[in-house]
Amino acid sequence: MGTPCYVGTTDPTQPGIVRARYVHFDGYPSSLIPQLRGIWAHAARRDTSLLIDAVLAHDWDHLGPDTTTSTPSMPDQHPVAGVGMTLDDSDPEPATVFPLSRAGDLTASWIYLINPADNTVIVHSGDGEPVGVHPLDWPHHQKNETASPHCGQPPAHATATARRARHTHPPTAETKRPA
């Protein structure tokens, strides 16, 4: 079975609200962080806003910068060159929007929030707690990495921001779960 996750970003005007896409396979940080770095470096041309747009375009079977238009796919899926394999194109849906405080309601092991302000990815466990911050321009900033490729402790500002966001929104807010 896959390791599901969500990949997206926070709303700039409401940092406790997340817009994200479901990714079915390879959601472990040791796998997904290198995939996001590869997509950012190549398909998005080191533009974090383009990375966010690419990831938010579909729900994904898996992400992978080595995906080509000729990568074999299942029915109702299609490869997006340099980004990954879509999950299901038969019924397009908008991105999932949820308060980070309700992350535990999702069926995902990990949540990855791409931050265009500093070109990082904040990794949250499935309950929304921050567990690591990773720069997209790795290995150029190896010495500044605040978490190992398998996740570690985030800097204090990331933890404080995430905790504020979790408590800003009431626990009764609705979330959309993948089918």
Side-chain angles (χ1 to χ4, degrees):
M1 177 159 166
T3 301
C5 67
Y6 280 86
V7 180
T9 191
T10 57
D11 182 316
T13 61
Q14 297 177 303
I17 301 296
V18 173
R19 256 188 31 225
R21 287 297 191 159
Y22 178 78
V23 179
H24 189 66
F25 287 106
D26 296 332
Y28 287 108
S30 59
S31 176
L32 197 70
I33 294 295
Q35 303 303 335
L36 289 172
R37 287 177 175 149
I39 296 165
W40 177 78
H42 301 289
R45 300 178 308 280
R46 302 178 67 81
D47 182 327
T48 306
S49 294
L50 289 177
L51 170 64
I52 292 168
D53 291 345
V55 169
L56 290 178
H58 302 277
D59 284 335
W60 301 95
D61 179 72
H62 65 275
L63 294 173
D66 57 345
T67 304
T68 66
T69 55
S70 61
T71 300
S73 62
M74 301 296 287
D76 295 328
Q77 293 182 342
H78 78 268
V80 177
V83 181
M85 185 68 65
T86 63
L87 184 60
D88 184 0
D89 288 339
S90 62
D91 187 17
E93 293 186 21
T96 301
V97 177
F98 59 93
L100 191 55
S101 64
R102 297 292 299 196
D105 292 347
L106 302 169
T107 56
S109 300
W110 302 97
I111 299 167
Y112 299 86
L113 299 178
I114 303 166
N115 185 348
D118 62 4
N119 300 326
T120 60
V121 178
I122 300 174
V123 180
H124 296 261
S125 61
D127 63 2
E129 287 298 317
V131 295
V133 177
H134 301 265
L136 288 167
D137 60 353
W138 180 273
H140 295 104
H141 287 92
Q142 277 183 320
K143 62 184 175 231
N144 296 329
E145 177 97 5
T146 59
S148 74
H150 300 284
C151 280
Q153 294 301 312
H157 76 278
T159 303
T161 300
R163 287 205 173 110
R164 274 193 308 277
R166 287 176 54 81
H167 298 291
T168 302
H169 300 278
T172 57
E174 292 188 13
T175 59
K176 181 188 103 182
R177 293 184 187 182

